Amino acid sequence: MTTRRELANAVRALAMDAVEAANSGHPGMPMGMADIAEVLWNDHLKFNPTNPKWPNRDRFVLSNGHGSMLQYALLHLTGYDLPMDQLKRFRQLHSKTAGHPEASETPGVETTTGPLGQGLANSVGFALAEKVLAAHFNRPGHAIVDHHTYVFVGDGCLMEGISHEVASLAGTWKLGKLIAVYDDNNISIDGEVEGWFTDDTPKRFEAYGWNVIRGVDGHDSEAVKKAFAAATAQSDKPTLICCKTIIGFGAPHKQGKEESHGAALGKAEVAAARDVLDWRYAPFDIPAEIYAGWDKKKVGAEREQQWNDAFAKYEAAYPELAAEFRRRTAGELPADWASKSQAYVDKMQAEGPDVASRKASQMTLDAFGPLLPELVGGSADLAGSNLTMWKGSKNITGPDGNYVHYGVREFGMTAIASGLALHGGLLPYDGTFLVFSDYARNAVRMSCLIPSHVVHVYTHDSIGLGEDGPTHQPIEHLGSLRLIPNNRVWRPCDAVESAVSWKVAIERKGAPSCLIFSRQTLKHQQRTAQQVADITRGAYVLSDPADTKFKAILIATGSEVELAMEAARTLAQQNVPVRVVSMPCTEEFDAQPLEYREAILPSWCRARVAVEAASVDFWGKYVGLDGAVVGMTTFGASAPAPALFENFAFTVAHVVDSVKRVIG
C-alpha cells in the first residue's frame, strides 16, 4: 500500500527534476511543504480536476509562489489538464508552468502569485466573497455556497506589510472559512531569518483575532491532519496553522539551508536526495500506484455531482435566486443592462449637469447600482471624499452587505478586490485618492497581469484638489498607471464621460480599469449622439471649426477639456481655427483601427498641443517633436485650486500662446 510519505515524495521528486531541467527555480519550499500539501489535497481540499471552475470548489492559493513546482506537481498528479510534458518544460517559453503560478495560463491556478503577501491578500478576498455570496444566496436547508479558502504562506509573505493589512481585516470580518498554513522553515534567500524576522507570529495573528494552531510538525502527516480538522471545525475566526518544516527536505547536504531555496540542487544532490527519500525512479517517472494514490478525477466528479443535485433542489425551491446565481457565476451582465445603462448616459447628456466628476461617479453608481446586485464597493477610509458609497450601499458585515470599509489599507484593499473578482459572482470596485495609488500600485499591476475584473476608483486627480498641497496632488500618477499593460485609465471631463467610463469598465470582462475623477466642478460639454457614442473609443472630436480647416489640434483630458474649449473659442476669435479632441482613455484610443485614429489625429496636422494637469512626459507620442504640452514639470503647492491653476499656467492665455508657437 502506498504511504503518505511516498505520495509526498512524488511531489518532491517532480520539484527537484523540473528545477534541475530548467536549471532555474525554487526546489526547497516544495520539498519542505510536500507532506502538508499531501494531507490537504488528499483529505480536505474539495475540487474537481475535470472542471476547475466548479463554483463550490475550495480555493487553494500559493502565496509563496516562488515554490510554484509544488502547485504544478499537485495539479498534475491529481488529474488537472497539466500533462507531464508541461512539467518538463518548467519555466520555458509558452509553457503552462511559468516561474510563478499564473491564473491565465494554468488550469487549477486560482490567482497569479509571486509578489509575496499578495496571494494571502487575494485569499482574504476569496474568503470574503464566499461569505458575501453565502449571505446573498443560501437559504435554510440549502447551503449552495459553502467552501473554504486555503493559502500557503512563507516567512517572506509575513514580512511584507500587506500581510498585516489583510490579516487584520480577515480577523475583523471573522472569515472562519479562511485557513492559512505558515511554512515556518527559518530560511529566506539571504539565509537564516533570525537576523531580520524575529516576530512572534502566533501572537501577532492572535492579536488580529485569528484562531492560531501552534507548533505543528509539518513532516508529521497525522499532526497536520489534526490541525486541518481543528481549523475546519470552527467558523468564527480565520485560522493560521504554524508548521515547522525543513526547507529542501530530503536533500542531505542542502536541506535546512538557503542553498536549497532559490536554485537547482545540482545533479549530485538530486541523486543523493533520491537515496535519502528512497525514490528509485528516473526523472519525471511516476509509477502507476503513485498516480492512483493521487488521482482525484472520480471523487472530484462525485463531489460536484452531489452539489449539482443539491443545487437542483435549491433551484426548484428558489428559481429566481438560482437563475441569478447562474448568471453571476457565469460573469454575465443582466439582460437589461445595455439598454438601461445607455439610457442613463443619454439622460446625462440631455440634462447636462455641471458637477465634479467624483460626484458624477456617485450619480452613476446610484443609477447602475440597482441594476447590478453583484456590485461590491469599498474605499480606503475615504468614502466621503471618494463618493464611492451610493444610495444602496450597505456595510459588508450585514446579511445583504455590498460595501467594504477597508480602513487606511490601500495595498491590501486593492489585492483583496482582485480576490473578490477572481472568486466569481461579484464585481468589485475600490477607491482612494489618485496620489495614494502609489501605495496600491503593485496590486493594480497584478490585477492587470492576472487579470481580474476590478474597477479602481481614484479621485482628487490633480493640483485641483487644492490646499492639501503637493503631498496629496498627483503629478506622475496618470502616466504611471497608463504604462501598465492591459490597464484602461479613464479621466472623464464631465458627467457624461464619467457615466461612459463606468459603463465601459463594467463591460470590460476579465480585466481592470482605473477611473480618475476630480474634486472640483467640471462644466458639461455639448455633444451629438455620434460624439456620445465615440466616447467609448477613448478619444473623439469634441469641437471643430464650423466653416474652415483647422490649423492645430488641442488634446485634453478631464478638467482640462474645458480649458481647451475656452482656448479654442479665443483662438477662433483671432482667426486661428483649431480642433479639440477629448481623450478620456488613451489606451482605448490606441486600440482603435488606424483609420479611426487617423480621422481623429490626422497625420497632416503636426501642430498639436496636449493639455493635462499631470506630467508632461507622457504626451510626446501624440504631439510629436513639433507639438507642445501644457502640463506639470514639478510638484504642486498648497493653495486654493484657482490660484494653483493660474500659478502653473493652466490658463487660456498660455494654451493660446502654445498653439500659436506650434503653428509657427
Side-chain angles (χ1 to χ4, degrees):
M1 180 178 177
T2 305
T3 66
R4 284 189 179 276
R5 179 54 56 84
E6 288 172 323
L7 294 175
N9 284 347
V11 173
R12 293 185 171 100
L14 288 173
M16 289 191 298
D17 294 340
V19 173
E20 200 65 30
N23 194 29
S24 176
H26 297 73
M29 188 281 270
M31 297 174 74
M33 295 199 77
D35 295 306
I36 302 168
E38 187 277 323
V39 172
L40 175 59
W41 283 62
N42 273 322
D43 292 5
H44 290 278
L45 199 67
K46 181 175 62 177
F47 62 99
N48 181 6
T50 58
N51 183 12
K53 297 300 183 181
W54 167 38
N56 202 43
R57 69 192 180 279
D58 289 336
R59 271 59 170 180
F60 173 77
V61 176
L62 193 71
S63 188
N64 40 356
H66 53 272
S68 56
M69 265 312 302
L70 174 71
Q71 188 161 15
Y72 298 147
L74 293 167
L75 293 171
H76 170 76
L77 291 168
T78 54
Y80 283 84
D81 183 18
L82 193 67
M84 184 64 82
D85 177 64
Q86 292 295 327
L87 274 64
K88 292 179 179 178
R89 298 183 59 237
F90 177 55
R91 289 189 165 216
Q92 304 308 300
L93 188 63
H94 303 313
S95 77
K96 294 184 181 298
T97 49
H100 294 81
E102 296 186 23
S104 61
E105 299 296 326
T106 312
V109 173
E110 300 286 358
T111 181
T112 302
T113 57
L116 293 174
Q118 287 200 58
L120 174 60
N122 294 161
S123 299
V124 174
F126 282 125
L128 180 60
E130 193 274 345
K131 187 170 185 176
V132 170
L133 290 169
H136 285 188
F137 287 103
N138 288 354
R139 293 296 182 269
H142 298 277
I144 62 163
V145 180
D146 182 16
H147 54 264
H148 285 81
T149 299
Y150 296 90
V151 55
F152 284 3
V153 302
D155 290 310
C157 295
L158 299 185
M159 284 187 244
E160 290 287 359
I162 191 173
S163 70
H164 161 74
E165 296 183 21
V166 302
S168 173
L169 285 169
T172 298
W173 295 333
K174 301 185 185 302
L175 299 180
K177 291 183 178 177
L178 173 62
I179 298 172
V181 179
Y182 169 33
D183 179 29
D184 184 8
N185 61 35
N186 199 46
I187 294 293
S188 66
I189 288 178
D190 279 354
E192 295 184 7
V193 300
E194 291 176 354
W196 49 88
F197 186 53
T198 59
D199 302 11
D200 189 329
T201 298
K203 283 187 178 179
R204 172 185 163 192
F205 275 76
E206 286 170 349
Y208 295 142
W210 286 53
N211 172 45
V212 177
I213 301 175
R214 301 167 177 250
V216 178
D217 182 348
H219 303 296
D220 181 341
S221 297
E222 286 305 310
V224 173
K225 185 176 180 179
K226 289 178 181 177
F228 278 123
T232 55
Q234 64 85 43
S235 60
D236 293 335
K237 297 179 179 181
T239 296
L240 180 72
I241 302 175
C242 300
C243 291
K244 288 297 296 184
T245 65
I246 300 173
I247 192 170
F249 182 91
H253 306 105
K254 295 185 177 182
Q255 69 175 13
K257 301 177 181 178
E258 64 270 21
E259 287 93 333
S260 68
H261 189 299
L265 296 175
K267 291 182 179 179
E269 187 70 3
V270 169
R274 276 178 151 77
D275 288 338
V276 170
L277 299 171
D278 196 25
W279 187 261
R280 306 298 178 181
Y281 310 104
F284 299 106
D285 182 13
I286 304 294
E289 61 269 22
I290 296 293
Y291 273 123
W294 275 107
D295 188 10
K296 292 294 177 293
K297 292 190 289 293
K298 180 180 178 181
V299 68
E302 290 173 350
R303 284 172 172 165
E304 183 176 358
Q305 187 57 51
Q306 290 170 359
W307 182 84
N308 288 336
D309 293 342
F311 188 83
K313 295 177 181 178
Y314 174 81
E315 192 166 29
Y318 304 98
E320 292 183 359
L321 276 174
E324 178 69 6
F325 183 84
R326 289 185 185 277
R327 177 189 73 78
R328 288 169 59 174
T329 54
E332 298 172 354
L333 291 170
D336 60 355
W337 160 258
S339 61
K340 289 186 175 180
S341 59
Q342 186 59 47
Y344 177 74
V345 172
D346 295 338
K347 178 174 179 282
M348 284 297 97
Q349 184 60 48
E351 294 182 355
D354 291 350
V355 293
S357 55
R358 62 170 175 162
K359 180 60 179 177
S361 169
Q362 186 180 51
M363 293 161 58
T364 304
L365 286 170
D366 283 335
F368 289 175
L371 307 178
L372 298 168
E374 59 265 49
L375 198 64
V376 174
S379 178
D381 203 46
L382 288 168
S385 295
N386 297 150
L387 302 185
T388 44
M389 295 187 77
W390 57 285
K391 292 176 182 177
S393 293
K394 298 179 182 179
N395 196 301
I396 202 75
T397 56
D400 55 351
N402 61 2
Y403 193 84
V404 187
H405 293 280
Y406 287 101
V408 187
R409 300 179 179 95
E410 295 88 356
F411 193 4
M413 168 186 71
T414 310
I416 287 172
S418 278
L420 289 169
L422 291 166
H423 179 281
L426 299 174
L427 173 54
Y429 65 91
D430 52 47
T432 187
F433 287 179
L434 177 57
V435 74
F436 299 136
S437 66
D438 278 345
Y439 284 132
R441 192 178 186 281
N442 195 263
V444 176
R445 179 180 188 270
M446 290 302 294
S447 72
C448 298
L449 175 62
I450 294 171
S452 58
H453 190 187
V454 182
V455 182
H456 304 297
V457 177
Y458 298 124
T459 67
H460 296 62
D461 65 350
S462 72
I463 58 172
L465 75 85
E467 291 87 344
D468 273 343
T471 62
H472 284 53
Q473 293 168 4
I475 302 299
E476 73 278 17
H477 300 73
L478 281 166
S480 176
L481 291 171
R482 287 167 176 154
L483 287 173
I484 304 175
N486 199 33
N487 201 10
R488 290 290 186 273
V489 181
W490 288 84
R491 188 176 184 239
C493 76
D494 65 2
V496 179
E497 287 190 1
S498 297
V500 171
S501 69
W502 264 110
K503 186 175 187 296
V504 174
I506 287 167
E507 293 172 354
R508 193 181 185 224
K509 288 187 177 181
S513 301
C514 296
L515 309 187
I516 315 298
F517 298 120
S518 72
R519 179 190 184 221
Q520 72 273 27
T521 298
L522 305 183
K523 184 177 180 180
H524 171 72
Q525 301 297 326
Q526 295 297 324
R527 300 176 183 83
T528 65
Q530 186 59 57
Q531 286 173 316
V532 172
D534 286 343
I535 295 172
T536 64
R537 308 187 79 164
Y540 62 101
V541 177
L542 183 60
S543 172
D544 256 346
D547 302 314
T548 186
K549 188 176 183 180
F550 55 87
K551 294 182 179 180
I553 301 174
L554 277 169
I555 309 168
T557 77
S559 54
E560 287 68 68
V561 169
E562 179 181 340
L563 174 60
M565 291 291 286
E566 291 176 0
R569 287 189 284 269
T570 300
L571 286 162
Q573 294 169 359
Q574 300 174 14
N575 296 318
V576 182
V578 299
R579 164 177 283 188
V580 177
V581 171
S582 177
M583 190 178 285
C585 183
T586 63
E587 303 88 4
E588 202 65 59
F589 177 69
D590 291 346
Q592 298 302 309
L594 176 61
E595 294 80 7
Y596 182 80
R597 287 180 281 135
E598 178 67 18
I600 303 303
L601 300 177
S603 53
W604 62 261
C605 184
R606 300 173 66 181
R608 304 177 183 181
V609 176
V611 188
E612 185 176 65
S615 174
V616 301
D617 292 338
F618 172 80
W619 288 97
K621 66 177 180 177
Y622 297 111
V623 302
L625 295 176
D626 297 322
V629 182
V630 177
M632 295 293 294
T633 58
T634 67
F635 292 114
S638 180
L644 290 170
F645 281 118
E646 178 76 23
N647 179 73
F648 289 103
F650 289 96
T651 63
V652 171
H654 183 56
V655 175
V656 167
D657 288 346
S658 298
V659 170
K660 290 179 177 179
R661 283 198 303 273
V662 299
I663 291 174

